[in-house]
Amino acid sequence: LHLSIRRQRQMCIRDSSLTEINERISKTSTFVGPLKNDLNNVIVGQETLINKILICMLANGHMLLEGVPCLAKTLTVNMLATLIDTKFQRIQFTPDLLPADITGIYIWNQKDQKFQFRKGPLFCNLLLADEINRAPPKTQAALLEAMQEHQVTIEGDTHKLPQPFVTLATQNPIESEGTYPLPDAQLDRFMMKLSVGYPGRPIERAILIKRKQRGKDEHEIKAITTPEKLREMQQSLEKVQIDDAIIEYIVEIINRTREDPRVKVGSSPRGAHALFKLSRALAVLNGRDYVLPDDIKRLSIYTLRHRIILKPEPRIKGVKTEEIVSQILEEVEVPTTQGQLED
């Protein structure tokens, strides 16, 4: 498969359009590199978090971050918004939060004698939905339309959200009192789910040393790109080649999640679509214009873990959806490749 992809590219290398495609993909990879480096300089020891956020953002998807407070989730998103010079909004979800508090409302303009729409915080490019599971279902439903359709509907009027629009939501897994678990339909809208854990001793020591050297709490970083360039980067993914054998590989993995006897509901077709898009983003992040089977293997757990519903018995026994996905990856035959992976 690896040789087949290379052969197809070599056969078309004389085509000026292919040269232009390679330049666009190379340009995207060049833009993402500094973003990654600047974030790693500020956020110590969270390489996995940063990589997955960048991949999800390139794929124009939404991400759910699960972890206890104070693990740099909010700081990472805030720094990313600064680097992109994009419109950033943070919403602290609480039990008394109403749909109008995030979507906006119509207010009466006494001067013009008519109602005018006042936009809510959803009208941004990068949204941080902090502790999303603390908001009531009605407010969660209002966010659902924004995530899927990139629009909000108020009193019968549809308002488009600015592009790009990416939602990064957080939730605390240990405090369930007074929370509203996200319904499966909303979980499915998140392209990826990542669990963020505590840093080790060396990393925590490095964090404190950096703080001592900096001499202040604030981090000084400057914008290095724009929302328009980010949109161009997202569109460049459409030029990344993905072989039919890899598509079959994705389809087989998705269907195995539905056939496992421990699973009540397997991954939806949206899971296959997410793997398709994310694998292209990972390829670009690694400077490639084609997808490898290993890209699928690296992303499957983060993409499918929240799309699988277990039957009661295995859930009581403590079976994790990550274990099921890992077993499926071991059992499904990988498309044949030759040569070592470049990344």
Side-chain angles (χ1 to χ4, degrees), residues 32 36 39-40 46-65 76 80 166 168 191-196 278 281-282 285-286 295-303 305:
V32 174
K36 184 177 176 181
L39 285 172
N40 280 324
Q46 292 287 9
E47 289 83 2
T48 299
L49 171 64
I50 291 170
N51 285 339
K52 296 303 182 291
I53 288 179
L54 290 175
I55 291 169
C56 197
M57 184 185 66
L58 272 181
N60 199 20
H62 311 291
M63 190 171 187
L64 180 61
L65 304 173
T76 302
L80 180 60
V166 176
L168 298 170
M191 193 171 281
M192 299 180 77
K193 179 184 177 183
L194 179 66
S195 295
V196 185
L278 289 168
L282 180 57
L285 201 65
N286 289 322
D295 296 330
I296 307 300
K297 297 184 73 172
R298 293 181 183 182
L299 295 166
S300 290
I301 289 180
Y302 305 107
T303 310
R305 71 200 306 176

Side-chain angles (χ1 to χ4, degrees), residues 1 10 61 69 80-81 101 106 124 133 146 166 171 196 225 240 308 328:
L1 174 62
Q10 290 169 356
L80 180 60
D101 294 331
Y106 279 98
C124 62
N133 56 327
V166 176
Q171 66 177 11
V196 185
T225 186
V240 176
I308 296 175
I328 291 173

Side-chain angles (χ1 to χ4, degrees), residues 30 35 52 78-79 87 135 145 170 182 199 240 248 253 338:
T30 303
L35 282 174
K52 296 303 182 291
N78 204 341
M79 293 296 101
K87 187 175 181 181
E145 181 187 8
T170 69
L182 295 177
V240 176
E248 290 295 331
I253 292 172
Q338 296 189 27

Side-chain angles (χ1 to χ4, degrees), residues 127-320:
L127 173 70
L128 176 61
D130 220 349
E131 296 190 279
I132 187 174
N133 56 327
R134 293 196 177 279
K138 196 171 183 179
T139 304
Q140 292 179 6
L143 181 61
L144 184 64
E145 181 187 8
M147 292 172 59
Q148 182 61 29
E149 307 296 338
H150 289 192
Q151 65 182 32
V152 295
T153 303
I154 303 173
E155 297 185 12
D157 295 330
T158 299
H159 304 269
K160 293 291 184 180
L161 297 176
Q163 294 298 318
F165 175 74
V166 176
T167 299
L168 298 170
T170 69
Q171 66 177 11
N172 187 343
I174 61 172
E175 293 182 359
S176 57
E177 297 84 357
T179 62
Y180 303 85
L182 295 177
D184 298 324
Q186 184 152 5
L187 281 174
D188 202 29
R189 263 64 175 188
F190 287 102
M191 193 171 281
M192 299 180 77
K193 179 184 177 183
L194 179 66
S195 295
V196 185
Y198 283 118
R201 286 181 174 86
I203 294 175
E204 198 152 9
R205 187 181 303 113
I207 293 172
L208 295 178
I209 291 174
K210 274 206 167 189
R211 169 61 182 85
K212 176 183 176 182
Q213 294 172 344
R214 195 167 61 248
K216 56 183 177 180
D217 289 333
E218 296 77 16
H219 299 270
E220 292 184 0
I221 59 173
K222 296 180 180 180
I224 59 177
T225 186
T226 63
E228 292 74 24
K229 289 182 179 179
L230 173 58
R231 188 63 178 159
E232 291 177 9
M233 289 188 246
Q234 292 174 337
Q235 292 171 348
S236 71
L237 299 189
E238 294 300 324
K239 307 303 180 182
V240 176
Q241 298 180 40
I242 181 165
D243 196 87
D244 289 346
I246 295 182
I247 291 178
E248 290 295 331
Y249 185 48
I250 294 174
V251 171
E252 183 64 24
I253 292 172
I254 296 298
N255 278 269
R256 290 287 185 98
T257 66
R258 303 166 187 165
E259 297 166 357
D260 192 289
R262 297 165 292 180
V263 174
K264 180 181 179 181
V265 179
S267 173
S268 67
R270 191 177 281 113
H273 191 252
L275 269 178
F276 178 88
K277 296 180 68 176
L278 289 168
S279 63
R280 284 177 151 184
L282 180 57
V284 170
L285 201 65
N286 289 322
R288 285 185 273 106
D289 63 350
Y290 55 91
V291 174
L292 294 174
D294 202 52
D295 296 330
I296 307 300
K297 297 184 73 172
R298 293 181 183 182
L299 295 166
S300 290
I301 289 180
Y302 305 107
T303 310
L304 303 179
R305 71 200 306 176
H306 57 292
R307 292 184 162 95
I308 296 175
I309 303 176
L310 298 175
K311 292 179 179 177
E313 186 175 349
R315 187 172 67 249
I316 293 172
K317 291 181 178 179
V319 175
K320 304 294 183 182

